[in-house]
Amino acid sequence: MNNSQFIDIRRELHQIPELGFEEWKTQEYLLSYIKSLPQQFIAIDTWKTGIFVKVQGSDPTKVIAYRADIDGLPMEEETNLTFKSKHEGKMHGCGHDFHMSIALGVLTYFANNQPKETLLFIFQPAEEGPGGAQPMLNSDYLKANRPDMIIALHIAPEYPVGTVATRKGLLFANTSELFIDFVGKGGHAAYPQTANDMVVASSYFVTQLQSIVSRNIDPLDSAVVTIGKITGGTKQNIIAEKARVEGTIRTLSLDSMGKIKDRIGALVKGIEQGFECSASIDYGSNYCQVYNNEAVTDEFISFLKKKSNVNFVECNEAMTGEDFGYFLEEIPGFMFWLGVNSDYGLHSGLLNPDEDAIPFTIDLLVDYLKSV
Ligand SMILES: CC(=O)N[C@@H](CCC[C@H](N)C(=O)O)C(=O)O
């Protein structure tokens, strides 16, 4: 099999990034490719914008699932690549184009070479939000076709191609989105005494927020609170009646997640009193931690250590989030980082992963899935 064709597929998918639960073109592209494969062993089902492809094993004792997420991010691509995003304001800035093309490569191999065990390829929408894993797990399809084991990967720009990094147990953090709307009183820029300025109130709040991780959380229990977006006001000489603060909370323990939310509630109350305004908090979507099953991960690590072309790294936990954690709550399995050597990281408009990682990983996963 010539795995370099999956680099072309990645480039095509890269041009059509779509947001969570809007991945209709992506689904159409994937379905058209999957339907072009030999159909003898495979069965295709769809769920919203997602896809399930079952490859019937020849003498199965279990069902092994491989999950690839399919959504892009609401951000402008800043690369000058010939195959850059054609969708303005949207980019595959988290590598899901890689995840999909690798999945198609592995699926292509097994559609042509029947596996012993039954394989289930899951193309999952909305990983970046609002979260597709949990509703997909509750779908009639997955209720009736529960895999016995599940695996997934995430590209890692900081590692060279050939590096695979993972660890037993906790890999990624618990996450919660954070949206706060402040409402005060607008007015003329020259008459601040007649208004309650929500640009000032939200700025105080963002500054106070910085004390939560440094003053309220055990320094040995990592946590992050990031505000990624602030909007407010209408014009430079009008005092803002409204402001909105958008961010994300990351913790390694659920206890810290609870403490941070309590502190946010208290700080917001203080802002309401101090600035005579009202505020509402919405925690958006929450993802549970990604916790790798110890036994299955151990076997994968042993497999990696025997491969002369793989540099295995036992990595630390990361404060990234992934709704793949919901699959791992119910099904033994693991996630791993895949080295793609980009100078720019995940969620950067300049992310440019090395495509050599695609054929490398297809071969690696085909070998691994044949071995389990
Ligand atoms: C691997 C990765 O970058 N995942 C995202 C998951 C987003 C979680 C959620 N929408 C949030 O923003 O809290 C990440 O940002 O870690």
Side-chain angles (χ1 to χ4, degrees):
M1 192 167 75
N2 174 14
N3 284 339
S4 61
Q5 66 167 296
F6 298 102
I7 293 180
D8 298 333
I9 287 181
R10 177 262 162 165
R11 292 181 179 195
E12 283 171 0
L13 286 166
H14 186 79
Q15 293 176 57
I16 55 162
E18 295 166 293
L19 302 186
F21 291 123
E22 294 171 8
E23 307 97 330
W24 297 109
K25 267 195 207 171
T26 306
Q27 186 190 52
E28 195 184 321
Y29 181 96
L30 294 170
L31 282 174
S32 137
Y33 178 81
I34 296 163
K35 285 179 182 165
S36 75
L37 295 172
Q39 300 291 298
Q40 198 183 349
F41 312 126
I42 71 178
I44 306 169
D45 277 87
T46 58
W47 174 85
K48 298 184 192 279
T49 50
I51 306 172
F52 297 108
V53 189
K54 190 187 266 190
V55 186
Q56 183 56 48
S58 57
D59 186 17
T61 59
K62 54 184 177 250
V63 177
I64 306 168
Y66 176 82
R67 174 275 206 168
D69 40 12
I70 68 170
D71 54 320
L73 281 162
M75 58 185 287
E76 204 61 61
E77 177 159 359
E78 294 168 59
T79 72
N80 288 319
L81 296 169
T82 51
F83 54 89
K84 72 184 284 188
S85 171
K86 286 184 177 156
H87 291 178
E88 208 182 311
K90 291 173 196 151
M91 178 187 176
H92 271 300
C94 204
H96 300 186
D97 49 345
F98 267 58
H99 303 172
M100 287 186 274
S101 59
I102 291 167
L104 290 180
V106 179
L107 170 59
T108 301
Y109 177 86
F110 288 112
N112 286 285
N113 304 275
Q114 189 178 23
K116 178 184 170 299
E117 303 295 351
T118 296
L119 303 179
L120 178 63
F121 290 82
I122 302 175
F123 293 90
Q124 181 216 297
E127 185 276 328
E128 296 292 348
Q134 215 176 17
M136 216 172 192
L137 265 166
N138 293 329
S139 66
D140 290 344
Y141 185 92
L142 274 183
K143 278 186 190 151
N145 295 276
R146 215 55 159 186
D148 300 291
M149 181 183 147
I150 188 160
I151 65 170
L153 66 84
H154 204 292
I155 64 158
E158 64 275 28
Y159 293 124
V161 174
T163 294
V164 174
T166 192
R167 71 196 306 274
K168 288 182 273 180
L170 187 61
L171 185 70
F172 289 179
N174 299 277
T175 72
S176 170
E177 295 176 348
L178 172 63
F179 303 95
I180 305 178
D181 286 296
F182 294 94
V183 182
K185 190 169 171 227
H188 193 291
Y191 302 94
Q193 73 279 17
T194 66
N196 287 328
D197 186 344
M198 289 306 102
V199 163
V200 174
S202 61
S203 303
Y204 267 82
F205 170 73
V206 173
T207 308
Q208 290 176 4
L209 200 58
Q210 307 310 312
S211 70
I212 297 182
V213 173
S214 70
R215 302 294 87 188
N216 304 127
I217 297 297
D218 179 344
L220 298 180
D221 184 13
S222 304
V224 176
V225 182
T226 291
I227 299 301
K229 186 172 175 186
I230 306 182
T231 44
T234 47
K235 194 176 181 297
Q236 118 288 345
N237 62 351
I238 300 175
I239 290 175
E241 182 196 350
K242 291 180 184 168
R244 180 172 168 86
V245 167
E246 302 181 29
T248 179
I249 310 168
R250 312 294 168 99
T251 64
L252 293 187
S253 72
L254 277 179
D255 186 44
S256 289
M257 180 61 80
K259 273 193 195 142
I260 290 176
K261 288 186 174 176
D262 287 349
R263 288 300 302 144
I264 288 174
L267 293 178
V268 167
K269 270 205 184 101
I271 294 287
E272 283 181 307
Q273 278 178 0
F275 288 86
E276 295 178 335
C277 63
S278 66
S280 58
I281 307 175
D282 172 6
Y283 286 111
S285 66
N286 294 239
Y287 294 172
C288 70
Q289 62 189 16
V290 171
Y291 194 93
N292 283 342
N293 176 280
E294 314 243 339
V296 183
T297 312
D298 225 7
E299 281 165 22
F300 180 58
I301 293 173
S302 303
F303 164 84
L304 293 175
K305 285 183 174 166
K306 287 188 210 127
K307 301 289 269 177
S308 57
N309 62 342
V310 174
N311 172 37
F312 167 66
V313 171
E314 186 160 354
C315 58
N316 289 329
E317 303 92 334
M319 301 309 285
T320 31
E322 247 285 357
D323 65 350
F324 185 63
Y326 288 113
F327 283 108
L328 292 181
E329 269 192 336
E330 298 196 18
I331 305 162
F334 59 86
M335 170 163 255
F336 64 91
W337 288 113
L338 173 74
V340 292
N341 191 36
S342 166
D343 289 341
Y344 297 92
L346 301 175
H347 297 195
S348 161
L350 291 165
L351 174 75
N352 186 13
D354 185 337
E355 295 175 323
D356 285 347
I358 295 172
F360 164 83
T361 314
I362 294 170
D363 287 343
L364 181 76
L365 287 177
V366 164
D367 280 357
Y368 173 67
L369 290 170
K370 285 203 278 193
S371 77
V372 283

